[in-house]
């Protein structure tokens, strides 16, 4: 044994961490975490760096490099070749659900898709245009209506799909109708933990509740488990902090809240007070004018309120509705349009 080999042996026997290979963090397959190089494990470490143990720190400062450390680049390259990272399937497969009237990839030229484009343009302009201020939460959008069944969930999801098709925008759609979680039901994620669980449990991490979809730039937050006091949950300080976090952390992301109706519960008014933009869906030919007026009165200021006239049989309308900002028609269209 040469002097150098003896010195290396001695250093190894002096260092308690060197002989305890099985104390290193390992992945599910039993590989040392330091050896893993796929994006997922690197990302995990970047998110939650493991504090170095005193032994590791000591070895970093005192040990000379022997070239035998587990993270040597030669071994890392070998691992890259032998273990290609497995692609994780999305949590929600919206396309496979084949939902009636919900815009699929093939529907991009339909009249419905064109109407959605007209609707989303001013919304995106208000959210990200020159005049927008992140502090005003202009990238948070609430979809509500005066009464139940006017098409809030349908509009929220189609709008989300349309915005996710934009080059440089990502979308988070939140089922904030905690009492009647129509979006979670539609996407078959009603049993998954979500917003209400986050609001009830200080330990919950919002990142772990977000579900990836098969639409690359669309993420969903389910409503979560039922709770008798949903208004109180939505009015809580934790919800206020969440709104702020969602608005400022990813400034190029739009967050759509599929919300309860204004005249049926108090939850929608609570939500509205934290949101930068509000879309009021009005069911054409059904919702009485006085109900729309009452709903607008509940919102107080109408500066950031847009109206969408939904289920409009006469086709697309683009009308100013009094002094209440934008007016849109968003219709069923003709039979042939619906089939597209
Ligand atoms: N523009 C539209 N074209 C075709 N169908 C629509 C349209 N808007 C809504 N619908 C249909 O109308 C029904 C009610 O819509 P939706 O569930 O979106 O209403 P909602 O306002 O979310 O109801 P709730 O108040 O119960 O949450 C659904 O069956 C939906 O598919
Ligand atoms: Mg709904």
């Amino acid at each position: 044994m040469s002097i150098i080999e003896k010195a290396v042996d001695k250093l190894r026997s002096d260092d308690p961490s060197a002989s305890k290979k099985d104390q290193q963090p390992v992945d599910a397959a039993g590989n040392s975490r330091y050896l893993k190089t796929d994006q997922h494990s690197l990302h995990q470490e970047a998110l939650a760096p493991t504090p170095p143990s005193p032994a590791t720190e000591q070895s970093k400062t005192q040990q000379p490099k022997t070239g035998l450390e587990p993270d040597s680049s030669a071994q890392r390259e070998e691992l890259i070749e032998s273990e290609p990272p497995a692609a994780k399937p999305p949590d929600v497969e919206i396309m496979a659900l084949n939902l009636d009237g919900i815009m699929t990839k093939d529907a991009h030229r339909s009249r419905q898709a064109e109407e959605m484009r007209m609707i989303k343009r001013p919304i995106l302009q208000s959210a990200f245009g020159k005049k927008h201020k992140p502090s005003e939460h202009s990238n948070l959008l609430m979809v509500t209506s005066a009464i139940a069944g006017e098409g809030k969930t349908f509009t929220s999801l189609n709008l989300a799909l349309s915005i996710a098709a934009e080059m440089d925008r990502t979308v988070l759609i939140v089922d904030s109708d905690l009492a009647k979680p129509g979006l979670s039901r539609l996407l078959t994620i009603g049993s998954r933990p979500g917003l209400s669980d986050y609001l009830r449990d200080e330990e919950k991490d919002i990142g772990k509740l977000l579900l990836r979809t098969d639409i690359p730039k669309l993420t969903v937050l389910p409503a979560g488990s039922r709770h008798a006091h949903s208004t109180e949950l939505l009015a809580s300080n934790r919800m206020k902090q969440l709104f702020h976090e969602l608005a400022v952390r990813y400034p190029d992301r739009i967050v759509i809240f599929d919300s309860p109706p204004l005249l049926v519960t108090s939850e929608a008014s609570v939500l509205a007070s934290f949101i930068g933009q509000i879309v009021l869906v009005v069911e054409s030919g059904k919702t009485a004018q006085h109900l729309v007026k009452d709903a607008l009165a509940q919102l107080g200021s109408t500066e950031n309120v847009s109206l969408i006239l939904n289920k409009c049989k006469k086709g697309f309308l683009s009308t100013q509705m009094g002094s209440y900002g934008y007016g849109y028609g968003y219709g069923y269209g003709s039979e042939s349009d619906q089939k597209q």
Side-chain angles (χ1 to χ4, degrees), residues 151-154 177 180-183 258-259:
K152 298 175 290 298
T153 300
F154 188 93
D177 194 342
K180 201 177 160 196
L183 181 71
D258 178 23
S259 308

Side-chain angles (χ1 to χ4, degrees), residues 110-111 332-340:
S110 66
R111 204 191 73 196
Y332 280 116
S334 64
E335 288 284 294
S336 58
D337 280 329
Q338 282 182 57
K339 279 180 193 141
Q340 276 186 55

Side-chain angles (χ1 to χ4, degrees), residues 6-15 18 62-64 66:
K6 276 185 195 156
V8 169
D9 255 16
K10 168 96 174 68
L11 281 169
R12 281 228 204 94
S13 62
D14 285 349
D15 179 6
Q62 293 182 1
Q63 274 199 9
T66 63

Side-chain angles (χ1 to χ4, degrees), residues 120-248:
K120 79 178 167 182
R121 285 282 154 246
I123 288 172
L124 291 175
Q125 183 60 30
S126 302
F128 307 111
K130 281 188 191 131
K131 286 188 203 149
H132 95 281
K133 291 187 197 134
S135 58
E136 288 170 3
H137 299 179
S138 55
N139 56 337
L140 305 187
L141 176 82
M142 170 186 179
V143 179
T144 186
S145 63
I147 53 173
E150 297 197 65
K152 298 175 290 298
T153 300
F154 188 93
T155 306
S156 302
L157 189 53
N158 274 328
L159 195 54
L161 289 167
S162 183
I163 296 175
E166 295 275 313
M167 299 285 281
D168 46 1
R169 299 283 166 233
T170 55
V171 188
L172 165 64
I173 183 165
V174 179
D175 191 348
S176 55
D177 194 342
L178 301 185
K180 201 177 160 196
L183 181 71
S184 306
R185 211 176 317 118
L186 192 66
L187 299 182
T188 65
I189 49 172
S191 58
R192 305 287 288 256
L195 180 60
S196 65
D197 304 280
Y198 172 79
L199 296 175
R200 281 156 65 179
D201 184 352
E202 295 269 320
E203 299 293 309
K204 282 261 185 311
D205 175 354
I206 196 74
K208 298 215 170 98
L209 300 173
L210 302 181
L211 302 179
R212 286 186 317 116
T213 73
D214 51 349
I215 316 292
K217 288 186 283 171
L218 178 64
T219 312
V220 185
L221 178 62
S225 15
R226 295 290 173 95
H227 190 262
H229 303 288
S230 39
T231 307
E232 286 75 9
L233 284 180
L234 294 173
S236 64
N237 271 336
R238 197 158 157 79
M239 187 72 205
K240 268 183 225 165
Q241 281 161 9
L242 179 64
F243 278 127
H244 190 66
E245 176 96 342
L246 291 174
V248 299

Side-chain angles (χ1 to χ4, degrees), residues 83-117:
E83 284 183 32
K88 226 178 132 204
D91 303 298
V92 195
E93 302 212 29
I94 298 178
M95 289 304 159
L97 290 173
N98 232 341
L99 300 168
D100 211 16
I102 298 301
M103 290 191 302
T104 60
K105 276 183 241 158
D106 317 326
H108 62 279
R109 273 201 222 103
S110 66
R111 204 191 73 196
Q112 188 192 28
E114 191 48 47
E115 288 173 358
M116 267 300 144
R117 272 184 213 114

